[in-house]
Amino acid sequence: MTEAALPFPSGFVWGSATASYQVEGAVDTDGRGRSIWDTFCDVPGAILNGDTGAVACDQYHRYPEDVALMASLGLGAYRFSVAWPRIQPDGRGAPNQKGLDHYRRLVSTLLENGITPYVTLYHWDLPQALQDRGGWPERDTAYRFADYAEIVHDALGDVVEHWITLNEPKVSSHAGYGSGIHAPGIRDLAQRDRAAHHLLLAHGLGVQRLRAAGARQVGITLDLSPVDPASPAEEDVAAARRVDADSHGLFLEPILTGAYPAGVMDPSVVAAGDFDLIGAPLDFLGVNYYRRMLVRAAPSGHLRAETVLPSGTPVTSVGWPVQPEGFRDLLVGLSARYPGLPPIYITENGAAFPDAVGADGQVHDPLRVDYLHRHLLALRSAIEAGVDVRGYFVWTLIDNFEWAEGFSARFGIVYVDHTDQSRVPKSSATWYGRVARSNAVPPPLRADVGN
Ligand code: GBH
């Protein structure tokens, strides 16, 4: 790193993130129950190439190696999720001590290595037994989540300070119950809306329980994108507004202002007092940023809208455009729009590229280095503009089970050979480790100057 490296605020947190079903494997070990993702992976055609998370990266057994990797890179934090079916195999009732012991060992290993744990309680792996009783469209699931949250806090609250209730509730409701491309694979807009409300309620009840138990830092993670019309035409502007309300307003507004935007929720789903829980103050907001969205009007579909790719913008291997400027715009826009916005952690940001081991045995991923570099410059510029961002977690530590894309999409800064589970840090890992250790990002490449 040269002297011209651009510093981040002191104490800024640098970490990596993963999710239980994407990395753990060991789905039958130590009394784990089935999750909706185990079931969904058995549906023919649901997952690319018929991949499943049954083995994933075997992190359940290999966590000491992964923690050692993080430590060798100089990362200061790890965001992981707890698999609810390991803690309550049937989604309710007495906890499974072996499941709790696993996370206790993981947290101890992190702390011994100077790495701060950030725990996500729910990253999409609902116990199948709860789906059998109706899943998120059922109000009772929110109360089951609150019990589960309290159990995990009782077991780890003395060693974990940072708690994230849910990861991306929009994806749980919209992809799980709306488009059906994620577990449990349901396509029903009424169920989708009920799921969204009950996820928000689960968050609110979870916050209440965590606070009562003495949790110190409580937040939620949302996936957010700036949404813009593809043209100034009135119908495109209206389509963009519909998409923004349906994917962001539906979650941000009740959490930050205690009410839904007009027209996005069937009022009969909402009970008295729900908004007091859902809108309770948070210690931080987790933001996952991948891309911005350009929207135009479409003749059919629920929102009569479709996303278009901006011409000339490079895309990642899952087809998402690379738009670092959208990162800054998102953060600056959020803090302008919500005066009481809590401090932000970037809980995910990263990209999939077609990485492979080269003849030299190394994995060179200059596209990811460039992606991270540009996004960190955009983040720093948002911080300089006054946005209170406390930390950044790259998605993701290791190539893993990328949901409906199976193992085809590699988002890791560490390469995983899915046949023997060997790990090879990519050049982006070395680069990101330098950023973390120096708390600074290199200046823009010459070609970037003036952009
Ligand atoms: C995250 O979801 C997940 O939290 C994580 O588990 C996952 O591995 C990671 O991202 C990478 O996928 O381009 O039309 O799909 C991100 C989900 C991605 C949903 C961007 C919204 C934009 C609309 N989001 N997507 S589209």
Side-chain angles (χ1 to χ4, degrees):
M1 193 133 315
T2 68
E3 320 141 293
L6 307 168
F8 271 66
S10 82
F12 194 82
V13 173
W14 295 100
S16 68
T18 62
S20 46
Y21 192 71
Q22 295 183 271
V23 298
E24 284 182 352
V27 292
D28 296 321
T29 305
D30 290 343
R32 177 187 178 278
R34 269 178 86 76
S35 84
I36 55 174
W37 273 93
D38 300 295
T39 306
F40 193 60
C41 287
D42 287 344
V43 176
I47 314 293
L48 197 62
N49 302 320
D51 290 341
T52 85
V55 177
C57 308
D58 194 30
Q59 194 184 73
Y60 191 81
H61 297 111
R62 292 171 198 255
Y63 70 89
E65 180 184 349
D66 288 343
V67 174
L69 259 171
M70 295 176 225
S72 75
L73 297 176
L75 304 188
Y78 183 44
R79 171 179 177 243
F80 64 91
S81 78
V82 173
W84 187 350
R86 291 197 190 279
I87 308 306
Q88 291 177 297
D90 296 321
R92 50 172 62 226
N96 170 33
Q97 190 58 43
K98 285 187 171 169
L100 290 170
D101 289 348
H102 167 71
Y103 294 106
R104 183 99 200 161
R105 286 190 298 269
L106 170 59
V107 169
S108 304
T109 310
L110 288 167
L111 293 172
E112 283 157 18
N113 283 274
I115 298 168
T116 305
Y118 284 65
V119 174
T120 304
L121 287 164
Y122 184 73
H123 198 129
W124 309 350
D125 41 1
L126 186 73
Q128 179 60 40
L130 291 183
Q131 182 56 38
D132 295 343
R133 304 168 74 104
W136 289 112
E138 278 302 314
R139 191 174 167 91
D140 184 62
T141 304
Y143 294 91
R144 302 284 69 76
F145 174 80
D147 288 351
Y148 155 69
E150 187 173 338
I151 289 170
V152 179
H153 187 275
D154 282 349
L156 302 178
D158 59 331
V159 282
V160 171
E161 186 167 345
H162 294 85
W163 297 89
I164 295 163
T165 54
L166 308 178
N167 178 70
E168 300 184 350
K170 179 194 92 189
V171 176
S172 293
S173 56
H174 291 33
Y177 298 87
S179 68
I181 61 169
H182 281 186
I186 290 169
R187 291 181 197 178
D188 176 341
L189 290 173
Q191 287 200 54
R192 182 197 94 141
D193 290 357
R194 294 174 60 82
H197 184 69
H198 297 142
L199 282 152
L200 285 162
L201 179 63
H203 159 74
L205 291 163
V207 170
Q208 186 183 48
R209 292 286 188 92
L210 291 168
R211 292 227 186 277
R216 279 158 284 185
Q217 289 283 318
V218 183
I220 187 171
T221 282
L222 301 180
D223 58 308
L224 301 173
S225 301
V227 181
D228 295 301
S231 86
E234 209 178 299
E235 64 268 27
D236 289 349
V237 173
R241 237 185 256 125
R242 289 194 293 277
V243 168
D244 197 38
D246 183 73
S247 42
H248 304 122
L250 180 56
F251 297 94
L252 269 177
E253 292 285 325
I255 288 169
L256 296 178
T257 73
Y260 283 121
V264 301
M265 181 59 65
D266 172 357
S268 73
V269 179
V270 181
D274 286 2
F275 287 132
D276 295 336
L277 292 162
I278 297 168
L282 297 177
D283 302 301
F284 63 90
L285 176 68
V287 172
N288 293 353
Y289 175 75
Y290 288 94
R291 59 171 298 181
R292 64 192 316 157
M293 282 163 80
L294 209 53
V295 171
R296 71 174 172 219
S300 60
H302 165 51
L303 295 172
R304 288 167 294 111
E306 63 193 11
T307 309
V308 294
L309 282 178
S311 57
T313 305
V315 296
T316 69
S317 66
V318 290
W320 300 346
V322 177
Q323 293 165 310
E325 76 297 336
F327 198 11
R328 180 188 193 277
D329 292 353
L330 171 72
L331 295 169
V332 170
L334 275 176
S335 74
R337 178 155 178 186
Y338 299 103
L341 190 71
I344 289 175
Y345 284 92
I346 305 306
T347 41
E348 290 180 28
N349 171 244
F353 291 110
D355 307 309
V357 180
D360 58 357
Q362 305 290 309
V363 180
H364 300 282
D365 58 344
L367 293 174
R368 183 171 294 96
V369 171
D370 185 61
Y371 178 99
L372 295 176
H373 189 183
R374 289 169 188 269
H375 282 77
L376 291 178
L377 289 171
L379 173 59
R380 186 171 180 279
S381 141
I383 293 171
E384 288 202 309
V387 187
D388 184 3
V389 184
R390 305 286 173 91
Y392 174 94
F393 294 76
V394 68
W395 185 269
T396 178
L397 180 69
I398 45 181
D399 291 337
N400 59 45
F401 178 76
E402 178 52 31
W403 309 113
E405 311 293 329
F407 295 107
S408 70
R410 294 185 174 274
F411 275 89
I413 57 170
V414 175
Y415 182 90
V416 176
D417 180 332
H418 297 298
T419 61
D420 65 7
Q421 300 296 350
S422 58
R423 275 91 159 131
V424 181
K426 304 177 189 177
S427 32
S428 57
T430 312
W431 184 88
Y432 184 60
R434 275 210 306 273
V435 168
R437 285 183 205 278
S438 61
N439 194 33
V441 69
L445 303 172
R446 227 170 333 178
D448 291 339
V449 172
N451 277 2

